[in-house]
Amino acid sequence: MELTPEAVEREAEWVRNRGDAVVPLINDTRARLGELFETDVDEVTPAAYREEVDAVFADGEVAVNVAGFVRILRELDVEGDYPGFVVDEILGRELAATVAGGHPLSLLAQATFHFADVRTHTEGRAGADDLDAALAAGFQTRLPGWSWRDGDSPFAVRRD
């Protein structure tokens, strides 16, 4: 596999166009997490998803890594699927974390990946459902809509 700027651009377009599958998964995941945590979480629109995909791929260092994970998961297949369980889970978790950004969001995205993955079944190769779950987990984590992320953290230390 070779990742050129053109290849990264193609993967960015693929991720952007995957919104029909990813946005409903984001909103389902948010609704279920909102129930569990007894909070309302804003839904994500297809337009907001596309804007955020553009933001992720605008950062070249992030873009090349996201494109690499996406391409591997798009191609990954394991005969019988289960023997490859570990590799597609690791790749999915890392893709979700990379999309979400640095800590603490990357850790939240990794946890959310597993939450989304258990209800995601995409036809095709073994890595396909992990790819959709990872994109949903990463983007749902980085997009606004969670009340705890509104405003400044009470733990911020400011010196005047």
Side-chain angles (χ1 to χ4, degrees):
M1 176 175 68
E2 181 180 5
L3 287 176
T4 63
E6 296 79 19
V8 171
E9 188 173 346
R10 285 191 301 274
E11 295 305 321
E13 192 63 24
W14 187 90
V15 171
R16 197 173 202 280
N17 291 332
R18 192 74 185 143
D20 289 347
V22 176
V23 171
L25 184 54
I26 288 171
N27 289 328
D28 177 64
T29 301
R30 282 183 163 207
R32 290 186 300 121
L33 287 170
E35 271 183 46
L36 288 171
F37 293 112
E38 299 177 349
T39 188
D40 292 325
V41 188
D42 295 343
E43 285 197 344
V44 171
T45 66
Y49 169 78
R50 288 188 302 271
E51 278 183 37
E52 210 60 30
V53 170
D54 292 347
V56 166
F57 279 94
D59 181 336
E61 291 176 1
V62 174
V64 70
N65 287 286
V66 169
F69 285 130
V70 167
R71 181 160 300 167
I72 291 168
L73 282 165
R74 284 179 59 191
E75 296 298 319
L76 180 66
D77 205 6
V78 177
E79 188 175 325
D81 190 17
Y82 185 76
F85 172 74
V86 172
V87 69
D88 58 11
E89 294 293 307
I90 289 171
L91 292 167
R93 205 178 70 206
E94 290 301 317
L95 172 56
T98 304
V99 166
H103 286 286
L105 297 181
S106 60
L107 181 62
L108 289 172
Q110 288 180 338
T112 303
F113 164 73
H114 291 291
F115 189 82
D117 189 36
V118 297
R119 291 182 44 135
T120 306
H121 302 288
T122 306
E123 291 299 318
R125 300 179 183 277
D129 58 350
D130 298 283
L131 175 53
D132 285 345
L135 292 172
F139 283 106
Q140 92 76 32
T141 301
R142 73 179 282 133
L143 281 160
W146 290 93
S147 60
W148 67 270
R149 296 215 37 223
D150 294 341
D152 293 332
S153 170
F155 298 100
V157 177
R158 290 182 176 69
R159 306 215 190 270
D160 293 325

